[in-house]
């Protein structure tokens, strides 16, 4: 069987311009032939001839509109695909229909999306990796430098209070309590920047610790973690932890909620699913901020699907579902 060369294939594809030109030219040629043939025009124009001319014009306009609609339909679909393209929601592609320039343009657009999504995933991975490294550095400095300095200040205040006159001791004790509260806040910030419990005790303990940390000020976080979850890669555990952390942070700051369910469960396809659902006011029509954008970028790193919206019973629900067999899970030893 002989193979058709690329040049022969290109010659066999009639361009969009030629198709439209030939279609319109055919209609006009037919109209002119009719004028030279059975259809004639008198001077002045008779009523019957005017009716024929108007009817012919309407037929030409309708035929031209239908032909243009058919010819330009794929271009309109491609335009809609371009308008709705979102690199944070990958995988959406314009359907390639027919042959010719529009089909080539659609394939080129899809190829461009493939390249952009791959480049964005690579650049996002580098940025988030650098961000995590910077967080670890800052957390270490907070713990080693600021934490030790405040600890030394506490010891000095205690020594001063023990040897100070009785009138000054209440103020020194108050300074001790203020310094101790600042030290606790520094440690809390360091834990958020670098989740040491995640590295030392694993995702289960890290999520329970996170739930306990946010269960303050009228907000109750109930963790529900299923047993028998598949073994997860370290980068996947970090993404799950960060998404849960950001979801709880948004709830505490904006939702006005009193209860939050933090759920980690196994999915039927072998992946894992994270859910953060609150009883607050819901997300409504509020635009996505930097926090949600960051969660979507993290989800892309492990090939997971992130959905954020109103819960079935009100409030806001954040869902992150990983897939089996990808970079998100590993077979347990």
């Amino acid at each position: 069987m002989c193979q058709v060369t690329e040049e022969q294939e290109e010659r066999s594809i009639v361009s969009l311009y030629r198709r439209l030109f030939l279609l319109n030219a055919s209609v006009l040629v037919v109209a002119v032939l009719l004028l030279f043939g059975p259809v004639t025009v008198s001077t002045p124009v008779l009523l019957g001839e005017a009716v024929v001319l108007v009817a012919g014009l309407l037929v030409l306009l309708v035929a031209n509109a239908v032909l243009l609609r058919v010819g330009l339909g794929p271009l309109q679909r491609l335009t809609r695909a371009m308008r709705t393209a979102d690199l944070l929601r990958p995988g959406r592609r314009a359907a390639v229909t027919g042959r010719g320039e529009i089909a080539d343009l659609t394939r080129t657009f899809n190829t461009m999306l493939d390249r952009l999504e791959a480049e964005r995933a690579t650049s996002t991975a580098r940025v988030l990796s650098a961000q995590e490294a910077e967080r670890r550095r800052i957390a270490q400095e907070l713990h080693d430098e600021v934490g030790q300095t405040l600890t030394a200040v506490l010891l000095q205040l205690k020594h001063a209070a023990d040897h100070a006159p009785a009138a000054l001791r209440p103020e020194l004790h108050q300074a001790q309590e203020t310094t101790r509260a600042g030290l606790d806040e520094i440690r809390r910030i360091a834990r958020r920047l670098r989740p040491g419990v995640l590295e030392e005790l694993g995702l289960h303990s890290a999520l329970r610790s996170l739930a306990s940390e946010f269960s303050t000020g009228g907000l109750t976080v109930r963790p529900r973690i299923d047993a028998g979850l598949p073994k997860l890669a370290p980068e996947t555990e970090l993404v799950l932890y960060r998404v849960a952390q950001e979801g709880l942070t948004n709830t505490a700051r904006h939702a006005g909620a009193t209860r939050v369910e933090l759920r980690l469960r196994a999915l039927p396809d072998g992946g894992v699913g994270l859910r953060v659902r609150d009883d607050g006011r819901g997300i409504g029509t509020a635009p996505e901020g930097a926090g949600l954008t960051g969660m979507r970028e993290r989800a892309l790193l492990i090939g997971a699907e992130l959905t954020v919206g109103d819960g079935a019973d009100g409030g806001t629900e954040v869902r992150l579902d990983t897939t089996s067999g990808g970079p998100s899970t590993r077979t347990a030893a």
Side-chain angles (χ1 to χ4, degrees):
M1 178 182 296
C2 62
Q3 187 173 3
V4 180
T5 65
E6 184 177 351
E7 183 179 356
Q8 291 173 337
E9 184 179 359
E10 289 181 355
R11 284 201 303 265
S12 66
I13 299 175
V14 182
S15 67
L16 176 63
Y17 168 77
R18 289 181 179 179
R19 289 202 303 271
L20 294 178
F21 175 78
L22 291 174
L23 290 173
N24 284 281
S26 300
V27 173
L28 292 176
V29 167
V30 171
V32 171
L33 291 177
L34 289 176
L35 288 175
F36 280 105
V39 179
T40 57
V41 180
S42 303
T43 304
V45 180
L46 300 177
L47 178 60
E49 294 174 342
V51 172
V52 172
L53 289 175
V54 171
L57 178 61
L58 291 177
V59 170
L60 291 176
L61 293 176
V62 171
N64 196 41
V66 171
L67 294 175
L68 288 175
R69 173 69 67 179
V70 173
L72 299 178
L75 189 58
Q76 293 176 342
R77 290 193 291 270
L78 177 59
T79 302
R80 286 195 296 268
M82 289 180 174
R83 289 174 179 170
T84 58
D86 188 352
L87 296 181
L88 290 178
R89 296 174 175 84
R92 301 178 181 180
R93 297 292 181 268
V96 180
T97 57
R99 306 171 66 187
E101 293 173 335
I102 297 181
D104 291 339
L105 180 61
T106 304
R107 281 190 288 268
T108 302
F109 172 71
N110 291 338
T111 302
M112 181 190 69
L113 278 184
D114 293 337
R115 184 174 65 255
L116 290 176
E117 289 177 1
E119 292 176 353
R120 183 182 179 90
T122 302
S123 62
T124 300
R126 288 197 296 264
V127 169
L128 292 180
S129 177
Q131 184 184 80
E132 290 296 334
E134 184 68 10
R135 285 182 171 184
R136 285 194 295 270
R137 185 188 66 80
I138 294 175
Q140 192 69 31
E141 291 184 358
L142 287 175
H143 182 272
D144 294 344
E145 303 295 334
V146 182
Q148 291 181 7
T149 300
L150 290 178
T151 301
V153 171
L154 275 176
L155 294 176
Q156 292 173 358
L157 288 172
K158 183 179 185 304
H159 182 268
D162 292 340
H163 297 83
L168 293 177
R169 288 179 182 175
E171 295 183 7
L172 290 173
H173 287 314
Q174 181 62 38
Q176 279 184 283
E177 293 302 320
T178 303
T179 305
R180 185 175 289 108
L183 181 59
D184 292 339
E185 182 67 14
I186 289 295
R187 289 171 176 170
R188 184 185 65 82
I189 294 174
R191 285 196 303 270
R192 287 195 176 187
L193 289 173
R194 180 177 179 267
V197 65
L198 177 63
E199 299 176 359
E200 297 167 5
L201 302 179
L203 182 62
H204 293 201
S205 299
L207 291 180
R208 294 186 187 279
S209 175
L210 196 63
S212 176
E213 179 181 343
F214 279 90
S215 293
T216 56
L219 181 65
T220 301
V221 182
R222 186 180 68 160
R224 293 180 55 195
I225 301 175
D226 292 354
L229 294 176
K231 182 69 175 180
L232 300 175
E235 58 270 20
T236 301
E237 290 190 345
L238 182 59
V239 169
L240 289 168
Y241 179 85
R242 290 301 188 196
V243 170
Q245 185 182 51
E246 184 63 34
L248 291 175
T249 299
N250 289 340
T251 297
R253 289 179 179 176
H254 310 298
T258 58
R259 296 189 309 276
V260 184
E261 180 188 50
L262 178 61
R263 177 83 185 277
L264 185 67
R265 63 189 181 93
L267 299 177
D269 63 356
V272 295
L274 174 73
R275 181 174 65 186
V276 181
R277 183 173 62 184
D278 62 55
D279 63 346
R281 62 177 62 95
I283 193 171
T285 58
E288 291 192 1
L292 291 182
T293 301
M295 286 193 288
R296 295 195 185 280
E297 290 177 340
R298 290 184 181 276
L300 290 178
L301 293 180
I302 59 174
E305 181 181 358
L306 178 76
T307 56
V308 181
D310 295 329
D313 301 324
T316 304
E317 183 176 82
V318 178
R319 300 178 68 98
L320 179 69
D321 295 334
T322 70
T323 57
S324 176
S328 58
T329 57
R330 298 185 303 185
T331 303

